[in-house]
Amino acid sequence: MQQIVFAIRRVAARPPTAVGHRRQLLALLLCLGLPWPAPATADTTTPESLQADASLSEMVRYAYHHHPRLQASQALVGAAASRGQREAALPDPMLELNQGLRESGNQSLALTQSIPLWGKRGLTRQRADDEVEAARATLHANQLAVERELRRAWIDYAWSQAAEALVGEQLSLLTQLTEQTRRRYEAGRSDLPALLRLQNEQARLANEQQALRSQQRAAHSRLASALAIDSTALGHPVTTLPAPPVPPDDAAPLLASLTEHNPQLRALRHQIDARARGQQLAERAGRPDLKLGLEYMRQDMMPRDELALMVGIQLPLQRGRYRAQRAEADGLHRASHWQLQEQEQRLAADLEIALFNLQQAARTVRLYQDSLLPRAEQAMAVTVTAWQAGQASFADLIASQRERLTLALSHQRALADALGYQTDIDALTGRSLLTYHGETP
């Protein structure tokens, strides 16, 4: 913009003294509304510690306070708030001192301040508020993402403990049968092949137990990684998979909750609002702003000092730049709308898939829990009794034990899958595990 300055001069009644100079300068600063520095606020958040036997909700609460990704997101929220305060502030004033080269007695001191007009500062503040809300929604999205990773890691860790316990229980029973068969063989009431087959089955289960223990150590490391701590700093809590969730039959309430509470969608909506303010600012960028100033002049040729009031405007002559600014703002606004539409469709599909998987896993859990597993346990007990009485074959004994163990492991796996799909649904609908306990994340 080209600048045009108009000056109105007033002859001072008498030459100002040094005290008068200071008073005039102070009044000038107050009239131009210069900002005074605000005191910094201290962070009073008290960090929490993670106990060795911490529950899942305590782990989630700990991650909310200490996870580096969330600390970074929180810092970005503060940065967005500070950026908004900076952009909405008045430009810095300009202080000019002129000293004549040929006439040393010719001096002038001028102070000018640019003042945006046409509601530009208000739009800038509104855009900054929308950007802060978008940053807060992004923080919430990151919280739910960290919680989802943590809950899924905890579910895998709990499943590995349950599977290792089931194999250990089966191995203990098989060890007892092997010892009974060994005593019967020594007494001449059993043959050697039966004892060898039991010992082979015992060795196979022992190897499977060792594999599950290794898997449990890997799950423990993943759980520590989800908490962003070293695995040596994480205890070995005894976990138990809770009861399976009851999935809803209709997806409509969940889809409504997705639309209203999903933080990724809320962040995009705030981004659209912010870019709409950017469009309005781009439309008004070509309108001139106002510049006000005061100038104190002292010359040897003048009997008295002078004080001038300056008023200036900027001429918006670079029209191509303002057209490009408007085109950029329009493009960004349209892009945000398309991004929101794509994200809504993708997240709705993810929610439908997660709900279907949850319903299927819940049906599988009920099938194992109410029908298959009780029958397998009853069949194994009957077979063990019959085998000890010599009325069942060794193949029947091994088959019943393997069937019972396979069904028990499948039941725990289906339960873990159901809990994992519920975790996905909670993350999509913007619900934290802490809200189940009446807490605020």
Side-chain angles (χ1 to χ4, degrees):
M1 289 187 178
Q2 303 296 325
Q3 178 177 309
I4 298 179
V5 178
F6 305 94
I8 302 175
R9 299 189 177 185
R10 180 180 65 82
V11 178
R14 56 185 179 184
T17 61
V19 176
H21 285 318
R22 289 194 295 269
R23 289 178 178 175
Q24 288 179 359
L25 183 58
L26 179 59
L28 205 58
L29 294 175
L30 293 176
C31 290
L32 294 176
L34 294 181
W36 296 97
T41 57
D43 185 7
T44 58
T45 303
T46 303
E48 299 177 356
S49 59
L50 186 64
Q51 302 297 327
D53 57 346
S55 62
L56 177 57
S57 60
E58 292 172 341
M59 291 181 183
V60 171
R61 195 180 305 110
Y62 177 87
Y64 273 25
H65 284 85
H66 297 277
H67 200 283
R69 191 191 313 173
L70 303 186
Q71 296 290 335
S73 297
Q74 186 65 54
L76 291 177
V77 173
S82 299
R83 183 172 62 252
Q85 183 180 4
R86 170 181 59 82
E87 292 179 350
L90 284 173
D92 289 333
M94 178 68 70
L95 180 64
E96 298 180 5
L97 175 62
N98 298 319
Q99 172 64 54
L101 298 179
R102 294 183 179 181
E103 300 293 338
S104 60
N106 295 342
Q107 300 173 345
S108 66
L109 180 66
L111 184 64
T112 58
Q113 172 68 61
S114 297
I115 302 177
L117 301 177
W118 318 105
K120 295 179 181 179
R121 289 186 66 198
L123 286 173
T124 301
R125 280 193 295 266
Q126 293 173 6
R127 181 179 63 178
D129 292 340
D130 292 329
E131 290 175 347
V132 171
E133 292 302 319
R136 287 174 178 164
T138 302
L139 169 62
H140 188 201
N142 288 332
Q143 287 176 334
L144 293 176
V146 167
E147 180 179 336
R148 177 182 176 274
E149 296 173 6
L150 176 58
R151 289 171 64 178
R152 278 196 162 272
W154 184 91
I155 289 170
D156 288 343
Y157 180 65
W159 177 87
S160 65
Q161 284 189 337
E164 194 272 334
L166 287 172
V167 172
E169 178 184 348
Q170 191 73 8
L171 181 59
S172 176
L173 176 60
L174 193 61
T175 301
Q176 296 176 8
L177 293 176
T178 303
E179 182 62 24
Q180 293 176 6
T181 305
R182 185 186 63 80
R183 288 197 298 265
R184 293 173 60 183
Y185 170 73
E186 292 175 351
R189 292 180 296 171
S190 179
D191 56 355
L192 181 60
L195 177 61
L196 295 178
R197 291 173 185 173
L198 279 174
Q199 290 175 342
N200 287 340
E201 187 68 15
Q202 182 181 5
R204 188 188 67 82
L205 282 181
N207 180 70
E208 186 174 350
Q209 186 182 44
Q210 290 298 325
L212 287 171
R213 287 175 178 173
S214 299
Q215 184 177 355
Q216 184 176 336
R217 288 193 293 270
H220 181 270
S221 298
R222 181 189 173 192
L223 182 59
S225 175
L227 285 166
I229 61 176
D230 191 82
S231 59
T232 57
L234 178 64
H236 295 270
V238 178
T239 58
T240 303
L241 292 174
V246 179
D249 296 329
D250 188 9
L254 291 178
L255 290 173
S257 181
L258 169 73
T259 303
E260 182 178 0
H261 300 295
N262 183 272
Q264 298 179 41
L265 299 182
R266 287 194 292 108
L268 285 173
R269 293 191 189 99
H270 287 301
Q271 184 185 81
I272 289 175
D273 293 339
R275 289 180 173 178
R277 309 295 184 192
Q279 281 183 307
Q280 294 176 313
L281 284 172
E283 290 291 336
R284 304 179 189 186
R287 301 180 185 180
D289 294 331
L290 179 66
K291 178 177 285 189
L292 298 177
L294 288 175
E295 183 179 12
Y296 169 75
M297 294 175 290
R298 179 181 179 183
Q299 297 180 3
D300 291 339
M301 303 297 297
M302 299 176 61
R304 295 181 179 179
D305 298 343
E306 291 186 357
L307 188 64
L309 172 65
M310 295 183 294
V311 180
I313 60 172
Q314 293 174 321
L315 299 181
L317 301 180
Q318 305 297 329
R319 308 307 301 176
R321 186 180 69 176
Y322 300 119
R323 285 194 298 269
Q325 185 176 352
R326 289 193 295 270
E328 178 187 4
D330 293 341
L332 291 175
H333 189 254
R334 289 195 305 271
S336 295
H337 276 285
W338 289 117
Q339 290 171 353
L340 176 62
Q341 180 178 344
E342 187 271 339
Q343 192 79 327
E344 286 176 339
Q345 294 173 349
R346 184 182 65 82
L347 293 180
D350 292 343
L351 181 60
E352 293 275 6
I353 294 173
L355 178 58
F356 167 77
N357 291 332
L358 175 59
Q359 292 171 342
Q360 183 65 26
R363 284 193 296 267
T364 304
V365 169
R366 290 194 298 269
L367 176 64
Y368 281 114
Q369 185 174 321
D370 300 337
S371 179
L372 298 182
L373 195 54
R375 292 173 185 172
E377 292 176 348
Q378 182 180 5
M380 188 188 71
V382 171
T383 304
V384 169
T385 303
W387 181 79
Q388 291 174 342
Q391 299 175 356
S393 65
F394 176 79
D396 294 335
L397 174 65
I398 297 302
S400 64
Q401 289 185 342
R402 287 183 179 178
E403 181 184 13
R404 186 262 179 188
L405 179 59
T406 300
L407 292 176
L409 292 175
S410 299
H411 170 251
Q412 291 296 318
R413 185 66 266 174
L415 177 56
D417 290 342
L419 294 173
Y421 297 136
Q422 181 64 53
T423 298
D424 296 340
I425 292 175
D426 288 343
L428 289 170
T429 55
R431 187 172 186 181
S432 169
L433 177 68
L434 301 182
T435 59
Y436 287 95
H437 304 285
E439 301 181 30
T440 302

